[in-house]
Amino acid sequence: MFNISKIRITDFFLNWKSFLVFNILIFVAKIVFSAYNNFQAEWFEDWSIARNLATLDIYSWNYKFGSSAYKLPLYPLFLCFFMKCFGLLNAAKFIIIAQHIFYFIIPVIIIKIFENFNLKTVGFLSAYFFIFSPAYFYYSNILEATNLFILLFAVWLYGYSICWTQAYISFNKIVIFSVITALVALTQVVAVPIMGVMALFLIFYKKRSLKDIFTVVCIAVLAYSPWVIRNYVTFDKVIISKSPFWQNVFLGYISDYQILPDNHFLTQEEKKTVFKKTAAHNEFINEKIYKEEVLKIVRKDSFAPIKKGFNNFISLWFVPKTYFDNNSLSILIGRKLYVIFINLLLLISMIYFFRNSKKIFLFCCILFVGFTFPYLIGHAANIRFKLDFEWIETSVISLFLFHKYFVSKKSNTKDKISI
């Protein structure tokens, strides 16, 4: 009786018709939620750059210092498009609606990715995790690049799944995949080394032609190059990604972001002094200021980078300091308990794959280390850093649940991952 009930339940949920019903309901709920809050949005540096671009025709974070390379260009350009079309006052509403549409499309792409591996069941499980995530339900109301990055990286992974599973790839598909690669790199620099390692997997595990990989790299570099050329022409220096590096490292040391009570790197007065100095200069001069301050900290405490890195790890994989002491019902249930739950499931999943599939385990480790390591060097003060890859975390969990509970141990089903 239990098995019959389980089959009926899974048959009801794990199909396109049922999933799309739930996906549409969540989409409508998100629109209603946003409308109830008058489409109010939080925004950060990307909005300032887009506003200056739309109103002053200058790509600048702080227009009084002139042109900028403070943020990668794709999301500011995305925001600027809506500002140009609908004006500054109305742009946020249409951007939020567009991002809600992104979040309707993303789980569909997730299903299609796993479908290419003959793992449609895993795709549905992962997609349900995504649409019912409290963080993703809310975050499409935030005007931040994560919303565009998740869509683009999901599309990139769909293209990657085609490269992995199909023997022949047409030139048109190679060009599209190459352009998507560039767009991902122009949105989130953290993804670049991950994509590079995954390209190596195609060479060594799937024996994908070096010619194809070289073609992808060349077209992607060509599509990415206008940003580098613009930076060189504007600043007379090569800026491959964006200008801040030492700023991110420095922010990881300020007291506002320290969860660990023994982490004391700067006093409030020292922090204020640094920020007062940087407020008077552009981002390039500020990089020198931040670098010198970081070196001062490390000279005083050679273990400071390790202490900060451990603090950032907790902030990234649990909640940052801003929310750590907040036990309101929405944060406690919607974020803290949810994160603990999926992190525990991920740990169980990784143990399972370590015992049963070393290749999947290694692949997952590379993905998660690739997303985690940069934030150990810099800072992890925002929930959005985790949201860049939390959907990948729940996808790994879904793969585990499928292997553990949906595939009979004695079954020789073809619905298993092929690596």
Side-chain angles (χ1 to χ4, degrees):
M1 180 65 70
F2 173 77
N3 289 336
I4 293 174
S5 300
K6 186 174 76 170
I7 291 171
R8 287 175 178 171
I9 292 172
T10 55
D11 285 348
F12 175 78
F13 284 101
L14 303 181
N15 62 79
W16 278 110
K17 183 178 179 180
S18 296
F19 170 74
L20 289 175
V21 168
F22 281 106
N23 201 16
I24 291 169
L25 289 174
I26 294 297
F27 174 74
V28 172
K30 288 163 75 77
I31 296 290
V32 171
F33 176 81
S34 299
Y36 178 78
N37 289 286
N38 297 316
F39 290 95
Q40 293 180 354
E42 296 179 47
W43 53 70
F44 303 95
E45 298 93 343
D46 301 272
W47 177 271
S48 299
I49 294 171
R51 181 184 58 208
N52 290 333
L53 187 58
T55 59
L56 303 173
D57 293 323
I58 179 172
Y59 191 93
S60 173
W61 176 41
N62 189 335
Y63 68 88
K64 71 179 182 180
F65 294 128
S67 296
S68 171
Y70 192 79
K71 300 282 282 190
L72 285 165
L74 200 62
Y75 192 68
L77 290 173
F78 168 77
L79 298 179
C80 182
F81 170 80
F82 286 90
M83 291 177 184
K84 289 284 192 180
C85 290
F86 304 106
L88 289 178
L89 293 179
N90 297 315
K93 176 171 70 174
F94 290 98
I95 294 166
I96 289 172
I97 292 172
Q99 291 183 167
H100 289 338
I101 294 172
F102 291 172
Y103 280 61
F104 177 84
I105 296 171
I106 290 165
V108 175
I109 298 173
I110 292 172
I111 295 171
K112 299 301 289 185
I113 292 169
F114 282 105
E115 197 171 42
N116 284 340
F117 293 104
N118 293 320
L119 288 165
K120 188 187 290 187
T121 298
V122 181
F124 282 121
L125 290 172
S126 182
Y128 278 118
F129 264 116
F130 185 87
I131 66 174
F132 288 119
S133 164
Y136 289 129
F137 181 91
Y138 177 76
Y139 209 79
S140 50
N141 292 280
I142 308 297
L143 306 189
E144 211 287 319
T146 289
N147 295 297
L148 182 59
F149 169 70
I150 296 173
L151 174 66
L152 290 174
F153 197 56
V155 173
W156 187 87
L157 287 173
Y158 175 74
Y160 185 87
S161 69
I162 292 175
C163 294
W164 189 278
T165 56
Q166 296 184 11
Y168 171 75
I169 310 295
S170 69
F171 183 71
N172 288 340
K173 288 182 180 180
I174 289 176
V175 171
I176 293 171
F177 182 64
S178 305
V179 172
I180 294 297
T181 302
L183 294 179
V184 171
L186 287 167
T187 308
Q188 174 58 281
V189 67
V190 171
V192 174
I194 296 171
M195 292 190 294
V197 172
M198 291 178 70
L200 294 177
F201 275 30
L202 284 174
I203 296 172
F204 292 110
Y205 282 106
K206 302 305 292 183
K207 308 301 180 185
R208 180 61 66 186
S209 165
L210 285 174
K211 178 184 175 182
D212 288 346
I213 301 296
F214 181 73
T215 303
V216 169
V217 171
C218 287
I219 297 173
V221 169
L222 187 64
Y224 187 94
S225 64
W227 173 244
V228 181
I229 295 169
R230 174 264 179 187
N231 290 339
Y232 185 78
V233 170
T234 305
F235 307 113
D236 196 27
K237 62 192 302 185
V238 176
I239 301 172
I240 295 177
S241 179
K242 54 184 181 178
S243 60
F245 171 76
W246 289 104
Q247 179 189 27
N248 291 330
V249 177
F250 174 78
L251 291 177
Y253 287 109
I254 67 173
S255 57
D256 310 57
Y257 300 156
Q258 304 308 312
I259 291 174
L260 299 178
D262 294 332
N263 278 16
H264 302 291
F265 307 114
L266 286 164
T267 66
Q268 286 296 329
E269 287 303 316
E270 288 172 329
K271 184 193 77 171
K272 289 177 182 177
T273 300
V274 173
F275 286 157
K276 186 176 180 180
K277 283 194 284 186
T278 57
H281 302 288
N282 66 29
E283 63 211 57
F284 303 105
I285 296 175
N286 288 345
E287 275 294 280
K288 298 175 183 177
I289 296 172
Y290 287 126
K291 180 180 179 180
E292 181 55 37
E293 294 300 324
V294 169
L295 294 178
K296 285 179 185 177
I297 293 168
V298 176
R299 281 194 289 265
K300 285 192 295 185
D301 183 357
S302 58
F303 289 100
I306 297 174
K307 296 175 183 177
K308 182 201 70 170
F310 186 51
N311 183 87
N312 289 358
F313 183 85
I314 297 171
S315 299
L316 183 68
W317 283 87
F318 183 45
V319 291
K321 176 65 174 178
T322 309
Y323 302 95
F324 190 79
D325 300 319
N326 185 342
N327 288 314
S328 63
L329 196 61
S330 60
I331 297 298
L332 184 62
I333 296 177
R335 191 58 193 162
K336 288 184 176 179
L337 293 179
Y338 177 77
V339 168
I340 291 172
F341 172 67
I342 63 170
N343 284 350
L344 181 61
L345 282 180
L346 179 66
L347 178 61
I348 295 170
S349 303
M350 294 297 282
I351 293 171
Y352 174 85
F353 289 126
F354 178 76
R355 292 174 175 173
N356 295 276
S357 177
K358 295 293 193 298
K359 290 181 180 178
I360 296 177
F361 176 80
L362 176 62
F363 183 77
C364 294
C365 284
I366 289 172
L367 276 177
F368 293 130
V369 169
F371 278 108
T372 302
F373 184 72
Y375 297 113
L376 304 190
I377 296 173
H379 72 92
N382 301 312
I383 283 177
R384 71 173 179 85
F385 299 143
K386 176 75 180 310
L387 296 184
D388 279 346
F389 64 92
E390 193 165 275
W391 61 284
I392 298 175
E393 181 182 357
T394 50
S395 295
V396 173
I397 292 168
S398 299
L399 184 61
F400 158 71
L401 293 175
F402 170 75
H403 277 281
K404 186 69 175 176
Y405 299 107
F406 286 82
V407 179
S408 169
K409 294 180 180 179
K410 296 181 180 180
S411 173
N412 193 29
T413 179
K414 68 175 183 177
D415 200 16
K416 293 182 180 180
I417 194 166
S418 55
I419 293 184

